[in-house]
Amino acid sequence: MLKQLLKQARPTESGFPAFPTRKLTSLLLLSGLSSMALVPIACADTAQVSQAGQPFAIAAGPLDQVLNVFARETGILLVIDAELTTGKTSEGLHGHFDLRAGLDRILRGTQLQAIGQANGSYMLKRTQTVGQAAAKEETLPAVEVKANRTRESVTELPAAYAGGQVASGARIGMLGNRDFMDTPFNITSYTAQTIRDQQATSLVDVVANDPAVRVTTNGLTSAAGQGDGFMIRGFRTYSSDVLFDGVAGIAMINTFPVEALERVEIMKGPSAMLSGMGQRGGVGGTINVVPKRASEEDLNRLSFSYQSDRHYGAHVDLSRRFGDLKQWGVRFNGIYRDGDTAVDGQSREFSVATLGLDYRGENLRTSLDLGYQNTSTQAPTGAGGFSLFNISTLKAPQAEKQISQDWEYAKNKGQYVLFKAEYDIADDWTVYGAVGANWNKYQWLASDLFVFNNAGDALAQYYYFPGYNDRKSAQAGIRGQFSTGPVKHQLDFQLSKLWQENGYSFGNEYGYGYGFLTQLTNIYNSASINKPSLAGFSSSAPKTNTMELPTIALSDTLSMLDNRLSLILGVRHQQVKTNGYDLVSGARLQHYDESAVTPSVALVVRPLEKLSLYASYIEGLSQGPTASAGTINQDTLFPPIKSKQAETGIKLDLGRLAMSASVFQIEQPSGIRVSNGLSSVYRMAGEQRNRGLELNVFGELSSGVRILGGAAWTEAKLTHTENGVADGNHAPGVPRKQANLGLEWDPLLMQGLTLSGRIVATGRQYLDTANQMRTAGWSRLDVGARYKTTSWNRPLVLRANIENLFGRDYWSSTVDGNWLIQGLPRTVMLSATVDF
């Protein structure tokens, strides 16, 4: 039946497949019921509700039904004995409650109580009679309070929003964690629950939920030097620009193990004032990954996974807290995956170990994160994708078909360490600091393909590319609050610095690595050749360049009228120092030392508690370009590039459903080559101007129905091009339309079962500034099901997901002009997670 459904999916003229929705829904439901009918009923897997509580709107009704809804919304495992709940009702639950308070309110008047178990689950038991309670109270010993409650850090994570898929806030650079309603930018923070339920294995999988973000490269399957690559608001963001717990230069540059993360936070737009300039100066947005910390309750979690074709994995997640007030925390994550992927001939091995330690004292809070990662991909999908020459359109090859050679590989190994501390020097003032480092080594034996006709004929250029990337990062500051009359101030002063050293090998015949072999091939029917000899090629790369990024920043958030009006002012001074070195002698050939000031101003107005209006201006900063070869000022380094963004928006929080709309304009200068008769000069004269509208929605449509998605419309225009020949044309690689819609449904006829679906759609993209080459629009459907139950009184979650259900072949994105990136094939994912 599934095969028949797949055949019925045919592309429409709009580029979107006509999905047989009714048959598909029936098939998923029938499959779930038939395969899980004999599994014991349960309510949810273990997850924690923040101490700050979360909103509830559970209607009154039979006690067991109310408890089931509560368990589903909080993510706890609640073991219910039908004999205890039969005939009992509950008044429901309305308002903000933490986990314990919510359970107590639901059970009020039922003579039942919920008792926490060692494995993190809860079990219903009868309460004691009044006489028993009184007798026990008389014999209770006196309790002496030995310490005050530890002060909560301003960096504590915001609580999960209703439905648990996203958080109610995110870290906004040096402003710290802020509720999304009080943030003058478009932000989304995806939770660990979303990562688990979607079986995400990299940042690429997580950002697929966001309508304003598209993936340019996948660091797990390609040999691309930038690793995971993203297009946010029409501008590229690289994995090297990803922040780790708010600090630059710590995250892995290839890809990151999201199973070890608590949150993946995305802020759209430039962020130079908030976070400083990144290694490669991402303009469209900033991604911050938040590592897991030890939970309040002990956790022993083991997961086993499978991905098509024959890719198996295991993940262990252990958490402990120690001390009389549980001040000390330890969190360990170990991940290992190996086997064949859904692409023919491709295999991947991935091993990760992370350790998070933290201390929560009354005035002092510290954390230490350590990580190791090793990735090896055989027959990767290439470095930059496919480069086109004078081809208006090109059909995408079959995604599961092997194009690269069996002997091609991409190997990446890295480690990181980050220590952070903050100390309360007074009731309202805290000093803080961070220091960390990241070391990466890589070796790629891979190819680039240059396609020159619609038949798919291409020139394959093979290269050997060893290199390394070492980074160090430091941060120090002071933050506090005070009042001037009716105005409250939140001040933050920060110093930071990022050091980086790169090394890689150049070849005489090819610009990237040792180019030593070319071959005519075809992307639809690739020819095999023997592995070339690497004799005489060194696997150690010399130092090629260094970069230092020292900054100083100051921000002030002014709040008044009971926080209904907030004005955020900030400024950062950024220096950019780079050096280039001779590959043979090691002598310094180039030196660059420039600086720039990037201000920001934002206003947030809360006329109603559920309504937020905002407007903001912020700038981005990128390293200046180098004059291209053949110009009279060849190799000239230009000052840092400032990008400017103006944004305004509206946000609505209905308690269990949130919506937002934002409009923005980003202007980024660019360099162009200007002809002067017989010669040409490279100068900063061009500009790309992106204007857009973004809509976002998340939360619960109703009890048991969750939504996550939105839409983005972007008009990316070129201005001030050479002689004006491309003025008004659409910028390459920027789709006009993008949309995501994800739904989850918990059918009442089977407690513990969840069905999910997600549609990802992207409009066409131009490949060149003349707008002569373009790709077709595409869409894909992802589906999933999960079942939460118990096994031997242990919480068990079974998950099944299929990405690209109908196996569409498409070009997912374009980068750097005429380079095409191929979409991934249909991929089946299965997993079982047990807490023990």
Side-chain angles (χ1 to χ4, degrees):
M1 185 175 182
L2 178 60
K3 192 171 184 180
Q4 294 176 349
L5 285 174
L6 297 182
K7 290 182 178 180
Q8 292 181 31
R10 293 289 184 266
T12 63
E13 293 183 358
S14 63
F16 298 95
F19 300 127
T21 309
R22 294 181 180 177
K23 293 184 179 181
L24 177 61
T25 304
S26 301
L27 175 63
L28 287 173
L29 184 58
L30 178 61
S31 175
L33 291 174
S34 61
S35 62
M36 301 176 181
L38 299 180
V39 185
I41 293 177
C43 302
D45 73 343
T46 57
Q48 292 193 349
V49 179
S50 167
Q51 291 182 354
Q54 72 177 60
F56 294 94
I58 304 176
L63 179 59
D64 57 349
Q65 293 185 14
V66 174
L67 287 171
N68 281 333
V69 174
F70 180 81
R72 185 168 57 237
E73 294 184 0
T74 57
I76 66 170
L77 178 73
L78 182 59
V79 181
I80 301 175
D81 186 345
E83 294 183 359
L84 298 179
T85 59
T86 300
K88 295 183 182 293
T89 60
S90 171
E91 61 186 18
L93 189 64
H94 299 270
H96 282 72
F97 295 87
D98 61 20
L99 183 59
R100 173 51 62 183
L103 281 171
D104 292 344
R105 177 63 64 88
I106 290 174
L107 295 173
R108 187 168 60 180
T110 64
Q111 297 183 344
L112 298 175
Q113 59 182 335
I115 306 299
Q117 306 299 301
N119 62 5
S121 64
Y122 289 82
M123 179 175 294
L124 290 186
K125 291 186 178 180
R126 290 186 175 88
T127 57
Q128 297 172 319
T129 64
V130 176
Q132 290 172 330
K136 184 174 182 179
E137 183 178 356
E138 293 177 355
T139 61
L140 285 176
V143 176
E144 179 182 358
V145 178
K146 296 183 179 180
N148 295 327
R149 180 180 180 271
T150 58
R151 173 176 172 172
E152 290 187 2
S153 166
V154 296
T155 58
E156 287 290 330
L157 291 179
Y161 194 75
Q165 294 180 300
V166 301
S168 58
R171 183 182 181 91
I172 311 300
M174 63 184 299
L175 300 181
N177 284 303
R178 297 176 69 91
D179 188 272
F180 80 100
M181 293 288 286
D182 296 323
T183 302
F185 308 101
N186 187 338
I187 61 170
T188 308
S189 177
Y190 299 98
T191 63
Q193 175 182 321
T194 298
I195 294 172
R196 289 195 304 269
D197 289 342
Q198 295 182 354
Q199 301 187 68
T201 57
S202 72
L203 290 177
V204 166
D205 299 324
V206 180
V207 303
N209 295 288
D210 203 299
V213 185
R214 286 298 180 261
V215 174
T216 57
T217 52
N218 186 331
L220 280 177
T221 60
S222 74
Q226 60 266 30
D228 291 340
F230 316 97
M231 189 73 77
I232 307 177
R233 286 190 169 176
F235 293 99
R236 293 194 70 181
T237 295
Y238 300 86
S239 59
S240 54
D241 290 327
V242 172
L243 304 178
F244 181 89
D245 206 13
V247 180
I250 307 301
M252 296 296 186
I253 64 169
N254 177 250
T255 190
F256 206 91
V258 294
E259 298 98 325
L261 299 178
E262 190 65 40
R263 301 279 167 83
V264 173
E265 303 172 335
I266 304 176
M267 193 196 91
K268 288 83 172 180
S271 60
M273 188 282 289
L274 299 170
S275 307
M277 171 182 159
Q279 175 183 333
R280 302 185 70 167
V283 173
T286 300
I287 299 176
N288 179 50
V289 298
V290 182
K292 288 180 177 178
R293 291 280 174 255
S295 53
E296 294 300 321
E297 302 294 333
D298 292 347
L299 175 68
N300 304 295
R301 178 169 292 164
L302 182 62
S303 299
F304 296 98
S305 62
Y306 162 85
Q307 289 188 14
S308 54
D309 187 21
R310 291 183 297 274
H311 196 73
Y312 302 94
H315 172 212
V316 60
D317 187 357
L318 306 175
S319 175
R320 293 289 187 276
R321 298 210 71 87
F322 305 95
D324 54 348
L325 294 177
K326 295 188 175 182
Q327 304 98 316
W328 301 92
V330 180
R331 189 73 176 259
F332 172 80
N333 278 267
I335 306 163
Y336 182 78
R337 296 192 294 269
D338 191 17
D340 298 337
T341 72
V343 178
D344 295 341
Q346 186 180 90
S347 63
R348 182 176 65 244
E349 183 179 11
F350 187 62
S351 55
V352 175
T354 67
L355 181 66
L357 310 174
D358 71 275
Y359 171 78
R360 304 183 309 194
E362 184 176 357
N363 296 311
L364 175 66
R365 294 164 295 278
T366 65
S367 64
L368 176 66
D369 288 283
L370 304 163
Y372 167 84
Q373 179 175 309
N374 190 2
T375 308
S376 178
T377 303
Q378 200 69 28
T381 54
F386 304 85
S387 182
L388 271 60
F389 288 93
N390 299 320
I391 303 174
S392 59
T393 60
L394 183 69
K395 179 183 177 182
Q398 294 181 4
E400 69 274 10
K401 191 171 183 178
Q402 179 181 353
I403 299 176
S404 58
Q405 302 294 322
D406 291 334
W407 42 262
E408 294 185 47
Y409 62 79
K411 299 179 180 180
N412 298 269
K413 183 183 296 184
Q415 305 89 33
Y416 68 84
V417 58
L418 176 64
F419 175 76
K420 299 182 68 175
E422 58 180 26
Y423 183 78
D424 303 326
I425 57 176
D427 287 343
D428 294 322
W429 291 90
T430 299
V431 293
Y432 63 90
V435 60
N438 176 280
W439 303 270
N440 289 270
K441 293 189 68 175
Y442 52 85
Q443 288 185 15
W444 307 319
L445 177 58
S447 60
D448 285 333
L449 297 176
F450 302 89
V451 186
F452 48 81
N453 60 35
N454 283 314
D457 293 324
L459 176 69
Q461 170 69 66
Y462 298 93
Y463 59 91
Y464 177 60
F465 194 87
Y468 69 90
N469 180 290
D470 295 341
R471 296 177 292 173
K472 295 179 291 184
S473 188
Q475 191 181 91
I478 181 171
R479 57 173 172 260
Q481 56 186 12
F482 61 93
S483 298
T484 55
V487 181
K488 298 179 181 179
H489 297 260
Q490 290 182 330
L491 204 67
D492 196 317
F493 175 75
Q494 183 184 100
L495 300 170
S496 65
K497 189 172 184 179
L498 173 64
W499 296 264
Q500 176 178 289
E501 179 180 313
N502 292 324
Y504 44 85
S505 294
F506 278 106
N508 295 328
E509 300 177 7
Y510 189 64
Y512 302 93
Y514 293 119
F516 60 95
L517 179 66
T518 60
Q519 174 206 10
L520 289 176
T521 186
N522 187 283
I523 65 172
Y524 305 119
N525 186 22
S526 178
S528 298
I529 62 174
N530 294 328
K531 180 179 179 180
S533 172
L534 299 181
F537 290 161
S538 173
S539 61
S540 298
K543 180 172 68 174
T544 55
N545 60 74
T546 62
M547 177 165 39
E548 295 182 26
L549 301 174
T551 76
I552 180 172
L554 176 67
S555 72
D556 186 12
T557 301
L558 299 84
S559 303
M560 57 203 79
L561 301 178
D562 196 23
N563 295 326
R564 291 188 178 274
L565 178 64
S566 297
L567 176 65
I568 302 174
L569 304 173
V571 64
R572 184 181 295 268
H573 179 268
Q574 175 84 63
Q575 272 188 288
V576 183
K577 302 178 182 180
T578 63
N579 295 295
Y581 298 90
D582 184 85
L583 301 182
V584 179
S585 67
R588 190 176 77 174
L589 301 178
Q590 296 176 327
H591 177 67
Y592 174 91
D593 189 349
E594 297 285 348
S595 63
V597 175
T598 53
S600 178
V601 59
L603 182 67
V604 181
V605 181
R606 300 282 297 271
L608 301 172
E609 185 64 26
K610 297 180 179 180
L611 180 66
S612 174
L613 308 173
Y614 72 89
S616 62
Y617 171 83
I618 193 169
E619 295 182 352
L621 196 63
S622 306
Q623 183 177 346
T626 302
S628 57
T631 58
I632 60 176
N633 58 340
Q634 177 178 336
D635 296 329
T636 300
L637 297 174
F638 286 81
I641 298 175
K642 279 188 179 183
S643 303
K644 302 177 181 180
Q645 174 183 276
E647 179 178 349
T648 185
I650 181 173
K651 300 179 182 180
L652 183 64
D653 182 3
L654 301 178
R656 306 199 64 78
L657 183 69
M659 294 171 283
S660 68
S662 58
V663 293
F664 66 89
Q665 174 175 292
I666 303 177
E667 297 176 341
Q668 183 187 43
S670 59
I672 63 174
R673 184 172 180 162
V674 180
S675 176
N676 294 322
L678 299 178
S679 63
S680 62
V681 62
Y682 189 91
R683 67 185 186 189
M684 298 300 299
E687 181 182 84
Q688 180 175 330
R689 185 191 64 209
N690 290 11
R691 292 174 175 170
L693 166 65
E694 294 170 351
L695 305 177
N696 294 87
V697 60
F698 56 86
E700 290 192 331
L701 293 174
S702 62
S703 179
V705 180
R706 294 169 291 280
I707 187 172
L708 177 62
W713 292 265
T714 306
E715 283 293 332
K717 297 293 185 179
L718 299 175
T719 62
H720 308 296
T721 60
E722 183 178 1
N723 299 323
V725 294
D727 286 0
N729 287 356
H730 207 77
V734 186
R736 284 189 173 93
K737 301 175 183 178
Q738 298 175 179
N740 291 49
L741 179 61
L743 291 172
E744 288 192 346
W745 172 48
D746 304 327
L748 293 177
L749 68 157
M750 191 170 190
Q751 296 295 331
L753 175 65
T754 298
L755 303 177
S756 62
R758 179 179 66 187
I759 294 178
V760 181
T762 303
R764 66 183 185 182
Q765 306 167 58
Y766 289 106
L767 280 72
D768 60 329
T769 57
N771 291 176
Q772 299 298 312
M773 297 188 293
R774 65 177 178 84
T775 66
W778 61 270
S779 61
R780 81 168 198 239
L781 174 64
D782 306 330
V783 297
R786 64 179 180 270
Y787 190 75
K788 303 177 182 180
T789 183
T790 57
S791 177
W792 300 95
N793 293 324
R794 304 295 184 184
L796 173 67
V797 185
L798 305 174
R799 297 180 175 92
N801 296 81
I802 305 177
E803 291 188 354
N804 193 7
L805 175 66
F806 296 104
R808 296 204 63 188
D809 300 320
Y810 61 94
W811 300 115
S812 65
S813 60
T814 68
V815 294
D816 296 336
N818 59 340
W819 286 95
L820 285 171
I821 305 300
Q822 190 176 6
L824 295 179
R826 180 192 299 117
T827 303
V828 177
M829 299 177 291
L830 306 173
S831 69
T833 301
V834 61
D835 292 354
F836 58 93

